[in-house]
């Protein structure tokens, strides 16, 4: 649903010095062209705003600034207990007297309601509202990083606990989610840095300080996610080594069982041959001796394997 508000001095009003905020969700090309004519937007801005899957960036077109920030949501699938990273985008076009936001699948709770409240920064125009949107999105990164860290800690405990069972595909699944978040987050600190260094003439001193805080928080979130990625890579190696060790132990146990069966089979095979002059063939103790030899061979193999720690 489209939203349109007019702000002045931190409260909805009308009169000199006002600026307008327009929010569009999944706009069509025709709708974007209509808005572009109203605010005299560059055609490249229109093309980028309509097209999703943009990387985080900051671009300047004369007096207009175009920002792209990706949103991230960690949600549980209805048919699957695993949590999945879902990404969206918020495109912001900031002009001297307007802010245009275009949302593509943005899932940040309170994004629109938070921007619709009276502004805390007075007399700083549309950039104060752009800061609020960026701040809400980056704050959401921290909570998602906390959830990812908890899931990662649980996986590490399962992998390094000798008595616990785990499936290595759980590690790959979490790594895929972490990589998805990295793709959304990695370019953002550089983009915000460019905003603060190359386009600082468009921002007041107070707004720059607030955007600097957003950039610091984005850097912290990015470093945490990079650390998660590195831990998961190490966890994949550890998990593969544990699976290989378990398979070796299983094969060793199977080999012991085969050895325990092989000697009795050998004895039974020898005494099962039908030769006329075979020793002990007519001896009354031949049958008990054969059974005793089989039992002794099983116990011998069992004793040797336990002495060497194979079972």
């Amino acid at each position: 649903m489209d939203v349109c508000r007019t702000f002045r001095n931190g409260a909805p009003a009308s009169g000199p010095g006002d600026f307008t905020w327009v929010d569009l969700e999944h706009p069509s090309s025709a709708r974007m062209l209509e808005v572009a004519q109203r605010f005299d937007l560059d055609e490249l801005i229109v093309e980028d705003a309509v097209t999703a899957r943009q990387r985080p960036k900051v671009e300047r077109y004369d007096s207009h600034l175009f920002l792209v920030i990706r949103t991230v949501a960690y949600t549980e699938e209805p048919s699957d207990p695993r949590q999945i990273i879902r990404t969206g985008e918020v495109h912001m076009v900031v002009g001297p007297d307007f802010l245009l936001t275009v949302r593509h699948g943005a899932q940040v709770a309170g994004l629109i309601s938070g921007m619709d409240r009276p502004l805390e920064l007075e007399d700083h125009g549309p950039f104060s509202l752009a800061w609020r949107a960026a701040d809400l999105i980056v704050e959401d990164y921290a909570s998602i990083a906390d959830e990812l860290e908890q899931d990662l800690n649980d996986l590490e405990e399962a992998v390094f606990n000798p008595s616990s069972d785990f499936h290595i595909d759980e590690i790959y699944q979490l790594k895929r989610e972490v990589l998805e978040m990295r793709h959304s987050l990695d370019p953002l600190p550089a983009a915000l840095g460019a905003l603060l260094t190359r386009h600082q003439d468009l921002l007041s001193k107070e707004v720059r300080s607030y955007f600097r805080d957003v950039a610091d928080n984005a850097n912290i979130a990015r470093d945490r996610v990079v650390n998660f990625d590195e831990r998961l890579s190490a966890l994949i190696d550890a998990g593969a080594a544990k699976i290989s060790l378990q398979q070796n132990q299983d094969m060793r146990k199977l080999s012991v069982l085969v050895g325990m069966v092989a000697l009795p089979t050998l004895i039974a095979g020898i005494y099962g041959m039908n030769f006329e002059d075979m020793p002990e063939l007519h001896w009354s103790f031949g049958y008990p001796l054969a059974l005793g030899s089989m039992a002794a061979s099983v116990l011998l193999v069992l004793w040797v394997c336990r002495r060497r720690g194979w079972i």
Side-chain angles (χ1 to χ4, degrees):
M1 184 178 73
D2 296 351
V3 178
C4 183
R5 296 287 186 273
T6 300
F7 293 91
R8 179 178 181 269
N9 292 332
S14 61
D18 291 0
F19 70 89
T20 302
W21 165 45
V22 176
D23 176 76
L24 305 176
E25 185 174 9
H26 300 293
S28 63
S29 299
R31 178 59 172 154
M32 272 304 303
L33 286 174
E34 179 184 343
V35 174
Q37 292 176 357
R38 166 66 176 82
F39 295 113
D40 192 25
L41 302 182
D42 190 282
E43 62 180 8
L44 294 177
I45 294 180
V46 176
E47 181 181 350
D48 283 350
V50 172
T51 306
R53 304 302 295 178
Q54 299 285 329
R55 69 193 304 271
K57 62 182 180 179
V58 174
E59 295 177 345
R60 186 169 182 173
Y61 298 86
D62 295 329
S63 60
H64 298 158
L65 206 63
F66 181 58
L67 299 86
V68 177
I69 301 180
R70 294 188 64 84
T71 62
V72 180
Y74 200 32
T75 58
E76 190 170 294
E77 288 284 272
S79 59
D80 194 331
R82 295 177 300 182
Q83 289 186 304
I84 304 296
I85 290 287
R86 297 192 179 279
T87 61
E89 298 172 26
V90 175
H91 300 183
M92 292 184 280
V93 185
V94 190
D97 58 354
F98 73 91
L99 169 66
L100 170 65
T101 56
V102 180
R103 292 179 292 121
H104 294 277
Q107 300 293 329
V108 178
L111 178 63
I112 299 302
S113 60
M115 293 173 65
D116 203 21
R117 294 196 306 266
L119 296 178
E120 299 170 0
L121 296 176
E122 296 183 354
D123 301 326
H124 294 291
F127 272 103
S128 59
L129 205 60
W131 159 77
R132 172 169 288 167
D135 187 54
L136 287 170
I137 295 171
V138 172
E139 279 183 357
D140 213 41
Y141 291 161
S143 61
I144 295 171
D146 291 338
E147 294 185 59
L148 288 172
E149 185 170 24
Q150 182 59 51
D151 290 345
L152 177 55
N153 291 338
D154 293 342
L155 272 178
E156 287 179 334
E157 183 177 354
V159 171
F160 293 111
N161 188 346
S163 61
S164 65
D165 294 327
F166 78 99
H167 299 284
I168 198 167
D169 59 337
E170 296 177 2
I171 305 177
Y172 285 109
Q173 173 69 24
L174 186 58
K175 188 173 179 64
R176 189 190 74 83
E177 307 309 327
V178 168
L179 288 175
E180 184 69 22
M181 188 168 181
R182 281 196 68 177
H183 294 157
S184 300
L185 182 55
D186 275 354
L188 181 58
L192 293 175
L195 173 65
L196 293 169
T197 55
R198 301 177 188 174
H199 312 295
Q200 56 182 334
D201 57 303
L202 298 177
L203 284 68
S204 66
K205 181 179 179 181
E206 290 80 0
V207 173
R208 284 201 306 271
S209 65
Y210 279 92
F211 265 109
R212 192 174 296 111
D213 181 66
V214 173
D216 290 341
N217 291 335
N219 269 310
I220 293 172
R222 180 192 61 183
D223 292 343
R224 292 183 67 187
V225 173
V226 169
N227 177 258
F228 297 161
D229 191 20
E230 294 173 351
R231 288 169 62 184
L232 282 167
S233 296
L235 202 59
I236 289 174
D237 295 337
K242 184 176 181 179
I243 291 174
S244 177
L245 179 61
Q246 290 174 341
Q247 290 175 341
N248 289 338
Q249 290 175 342
D250 293 341
M251 289 300 298
R252 182 179 295 174
K253 292 177 181 179
L254 288 174
S255 299
V256 170
L257 291 175
V258 170
M260 293 172 65
V261 173
L263 287 178
T265 302
L266 175 64
I267 296 172
I270 292 174
Y271 279 89
M273 293 185 295
N274 298 319
F275 292 108
E276 185 69 26
D277 298 325
M278 191 172 178
E280 295 91 23
L281 187 63
H282 302 286
W283 185 34
S284 59
F285 295 102
Y287 182 65
L289 177 63
L291 292 180
S293 300
M294 293 179 188
S297 67
V298 171
L299 294 176
L300 177 63
V301 172
L302 183 63
W303 177 78
V304 171
C305 293
R306 283 190 173 179
R307 184 177 179 85
R308 297 189 178 186
W310 293 351
I311 56 173

